Amino acid sequence: MVNPYEYDEAVKKQGFALIAGVDEAGRGPLAGPVVASAVILSDVIKIDGIRDSKKILEKEREKLFWAILLNAIDIGIGIVDSQEIDKINILRATRQAMHNAVMDLKNRPDVILVDAVSIPSIKIKQFPIIKGDAKSASIAAASIIAKVIRDGIMSRYHSIYPDYEFDKHKGYATKTHLDKIEKYGPCLIHRKSFKKVMDLILPFD
């Protein structure tokens, strides 16, 4: 298995002392916010098990979340809600969430490693990396932080909109979720700009 710390160490050898990994959770769902995180990991403490959050079971992901929270040098969070996603589109919303996450850091990084996309509004050297959460420890850590925070938000939304079972599918386009939208219509946190939602909205207009 690839050691994700090796990628970050190779970047540091290029003269970048402080690296921030940036990733998002919630780009694809039909409901809820997109959440981004920026993480600067410690050079001293290596956290075992850090990898792409999508490949980690929930209990382990939560343990890693706390390990990162307790041992990282710095963590920033950015959240863009569904209504703003509808206004500006999901790509721009993702970049805005990432921008906010980097701006939320207390330490200015020398370089940013970003999963897949670039952040044009950030005037810091950055490397967009395809499948970065599988290659870089910093990006993987950011993916874990973003995923756990977003899952928590969606679980809380379940208490407000229990009919949709957001605690189970977290807003993704599962059959159960699509059936719920068809039955009840969309709620406030559904992304009305997404075609799958719009196709189900039409009977309710």
Side-chain angles (χ1 to χ4, degrees):
M1 190 172 81
V2 177
N3 178 0
Y5 281 97
E6 290 180 358
Y7 191 100
D8 294 37
E9 287 162 4
V11 172
K12 287 179 182 177
K13 287 178 182 177
Q14 297 178 39
F16 301 109
L18 211 58
I19 295 174
V22 180
D23 201 2
E24 54 75 28
R27 191 170 172 179
L30 307 182
V34 58
V35 177
S37 176
V39 176
I40 300 175
L41 290 173
S42 168
D43 286 331
V44 178
I45 301 171
K46 301 291 191 292
I47 302 169
D48 291 336
I50 282 185
R51 57 196 187 280
D52 178 0
S53 65
K54 295 185 291 295
K55 298 181 179 179
I56 307 174
L57 295 177
E58 185 175 359
K59 285 187 178 179
E60 183 186 0
R61 192 163 55 233
E62 289 179 356
K63 287 181 181 179
L64 288 168
F65 172 86
W66 286 106
I68 296 164
L69 212 62
L70 292 171
N71 294 296
I73 292 172
D74 204 350
I75 296 173
I77 303 298
I79 302 173
V80 175
D81 66 25
S82 56
Q83 294 178 353
E84 187 66 15
I85 291 169
D86 285 340
K87 289 179 185 176
I88 65 175
N89 80 45
I90 187 59
L91 177 57
R92 289 175 63 191
T94 297
R95 284 176 165 153
Q96 184 61 53
M98 289 179 166
H99 171 102
N100 294 350
V102 174
M103 291 297 101
D104 193 43
L105 292 169
K106 297 178 181 67
N107 299 272
R108 180 182 173 88
D110 299 309
V111 66
I112 300 169
L113 306 181
V114 192
D115 186 42
V117 303
S118 61
I119 316 170
S121 59
I122 297 287
K123 305 307 177 187
I124 299 173
K125 180 72 174 178
Q126 54 189 282
F127 299 121
I129 304 164
I130 302 300
K131 296 185 178 179
D133 47 9
K135 298 174 182 177
S136 161
S138 297
I139 295 177
S143 78
I144 291 166
I145 295 294
K147 172 68 173 166
V148 172
I149 288 175
R150 187 180 186 279
D151 282 358
I153 290 170
M154 296 309 294
S155 291
R156 286 192 289 277
Y157 273 132
H158 171 69
S159 65
I160 301 171
Y161 307 106
D163 290 337
Y164 298 92
E165 300 184 9
F166 288 127
D167 59 328
K168 295 180 180 177
H169 51 70
K170 306 302 190 287
Y172 284 88
T174 63
K175 184 180 184 305
T176 296
H177 188 194
L178 293 173
D179 288 346
K180 297 293 185 180
I181 299 172
E182 188 170 16
K183 181 176 181 180
Y184 299 110
C187 70
L188 186 62
I189 67 165
H190 279 102
R191 301 174 183 177
K192 313 301 190 300
S193 58
F194 277 38
K195 187 177 185 302
K196 282 189 177 179
V197 175
M198 287 300 296
D199 288 346
L200 295 167
I201 286 177
L202 292 176
F204 295 90
D205 286 347

